[in-house]
Amino acid sequence: MLESHNTNESIYMIKMGRNFLGILNDLKRRPEDAAKELDIPLEQIKAIIEGKKLLSSEIIQSATKIWPVNVSDFYIIRDDSPTGVKVMSAEESKKSSRIMERGGKPYYEYRDTVMSGVAPFRPEWIKQLCYVDDNDPENLTVQWNNGHFMHQFTYFIGDVNFYYIDDNGEKQTSVMKTGDSMYITPFVSHTFATRKDAKKDGLILALTYGDKLTGEIKKELASLSTELASQFSLDFSTQENASASLLKFHRQISSLTINEVSRRTKLSIETVSDLENGTRLPSGKEIIVLANAFNINSRELISNDKAEKKVIVKSYEDCKKWYYPEESKNYEFIELASTSSLPFSKTFEIKVQNSSSPDYDLKVGLHQFVYNVGDSELFLNWELGGKNYNKLIKSGDSAYIKPFVRHNFRGSGKLVVLRIGGKIPGDSQRELSILGNKNISRAISETALWFNPNGKQ
């Protein structure tokens, strides 16, 4: 165990050193420049870059006083899943139990499930200790929350009432049963309770997660005043308003007048004005000429296909089902609640069919949370870095799987799976793809000075 810790710490120091070199490159500082400005020996700077010495908090504090950088720029995420998978047993989950009171009475029992510093989700096991006699959303026994910043997918087990505020500001009740699911947008007030005739306390898997507005994005917003930061939020209430807002935003950040846009696109001034006012949606041809006028890709001016509700409830009977892979049918997938507003978030119930195939038949470019909701044990097998691993996943156990890890589940049982993109899929993925395979390794972990001191022809 100590050897593993030392290895992980060594890898962390190497990654932190390469990140430090990347910062110096961005600031156009050679190691000797950094040593002089930070008033430390050059040998120490080189040792940090080479991963032989940990970058101290004292050096970081000095750097932030001298250079236009933030403390967080120097730290990287510690990898708590070096083999590609992290597992939390049901027994470990039970040890985290805590009772939350609302209105002076026990309301929820919370338990942790597997979490990772690498992944963006914060999933919880929550038992509903509050019982209700009816399905009235105005029931005074029900205690509402204030909403929270995280997106939430919920999988229901047992007889649970789900209460929420709809898009019109009205209280609603959805009567849920095992296998039903829902997605809820951040800051929507909601709560849960067990129905009076239930055989046992209701249970939910409340899988909360951050998408794009966490981490550095949230910090950048916070660094601006509320007055300024709030203006990044455009009017996406309808497809027409969203299209108009995007068009106006790109015109203004390019400092173009409507007359200049008209000249560049050959569209009339009236047409450009109508599109900016949301009178109608632009045609495909109009989007192309407008994008060319702003020197951007057409996708930047295309609004979402639909404006979805802030709460999406899905009954188990309405879920689409299919087998995967088609040849072996090792898994039956059941598609649970999701929203098109988060294209890189996917939720499934997976029925694992008994198979003896050793093939790693699953590989997904998203972070995965897995919870064994069945009564039987399953094996999780995976491969990373040329090594093969396996772990027994018992009922109530949960697992985290990194993106692109080749794996499979073997046995016969039932899982709930949440897949989340995090920060990389989408615009970041496109930018990384533009760099090309030749430069990806340096983009991920800088290994070279930005120029050759000896010259290069």
Side-chain angles (χ1 to χ4, degrees), residues 406-420:
R406 296 171 62 240
H407 62 286
N408 67 40
F409 297 100
R410 291 295 180 258
S412 180
K414 185 166 66 172
L415 303 168
V416 168
V417 176
L418 169 66
R419 297 174 176 173
I420 303 173

Side-chain angles (χ1 to χ4, degrees), residues 182-195:
M182 69 83 169
Y183 160 78
I184 190 168
T185 307
F187 301 121
V188 172
S189 182
H190 61 281
T191 190
F192 306 91
T194 302
R195 291 192 290 280

Side-chain angles (χ1 to χ4, degrees), residues 84-196:
V85 170
K86 183 179 181 181
V87 175
M88 186 177 195
S89 69
E91 289 76 15
E92 291 172 317
S93 177
K94 189 175 182 179
K95 291 177 182 178
S96 69
S97 173
R98 61 266 188 202
I99 303 296
M100 299 289 181
E101 290 192 352
R102 292 187 185 179
K105 297 180 181 179
Y107 200 79
Y108 290 147
E109 179 191 355
Y110 275 85
R111 295 182 189 178
D112 291 341
T113 56
V114 70
M115 300 185 200
S116 169
V118 178
F121 46 65
R122 298 290 180 265
E124 299 284 356
W125 176 105
I126 307 176
K127 183 182 288 186
Q128 282 68 59
L129 306 179
C130 172
Y131 277 68
V132 291
D133 294 331
D134 55 46
N135 301 325
D136 184 357
E138 300 289 348
N139 189 314
L140 297 179
T141 306
V142 173
Q143 303 295 320
W144 294 69
N145 68 11
N146 298 319
H148 47 67
F149 179 63
M150 307 289 273
H151 298 271
Q152 180 172 325
F153 162 79
T154 303
Y155 181 87
F156 294 84
I157 301 173
D159 300 323
V160 180
N161 276 2
F162 165 45
Y163 303 88
Y164 62 95
I165 306 295
D166 66 16
D167 290 0
N168 297 317
E170 300 292 330
K171 290 183 176 181
Q172 300 291 343
T173 304
S174 285
V175 179
M176 312 299 278
K177 62 185 182 306
T178 299
D180 293 346
S181 57
M182 69 83 169
Y183 160 78
I184 190 168
T185 307
F187 301 121
V188 172
S189 182
H190 61 281
T191 190
F192 306 91
T194 302
R195 291 192 290 280
K196 67 174 181 178

Side-chain angles (χ1 to χ4, degrees), residues 265 282-294 296-298 301:
T265 61
S283 67
K285 183 178 180 181
E286 287 170 335
I287 288 176
I288 291 173
V289 296
L290 285 164
N292 287 336
F294 301 141
I296 59 176
N297 288 308
S298 298
L301 297 179

Side-chain angles (χ1 to χ4, degrees), residues 216-286:
E216 296 302 315
I217 309 299
K218 189 174 182 179
K219 290 177 183 178
E220 182 174 340
L221 286 170
S223 69
L224 304 173
S225 67
T226 302
E227 176 188 356
L228 299 176
S230 62
Q231 294 180 64
F232 279 108
S233 177
L234 306 180
D235 182 0
F236 271 31
S237 58
T238 66
Q239 195 173 1
E240 289 79 10
N241 289 345
S243 176
S245 296
L246 289 168
L247 176 57
K248 189 173 183 179
F249 179 80
H250 282 284
R251 179 177 67 78
Q252 290 179 339
I253 65 174
S254 301
S255 293
L256 296 176
T257 64
I258 290 181
N259 286 347
E260 179 61 23
V261 172
S262 175
R263 283 192 288 270
R264 293 186 179 195
T265 61
K266 309 304 182 196
L267 299 175
S268 69
I269 292 174
E270 291 74 18
T271 294
V272 177
S273 296
D274 284 346
L275 294 176
E276 275 203 11
N277 291 329
T279 304
R280 65 174 177 85
L281 289 171
S283 67
K285 183 178 180 181
E286 287 170 335

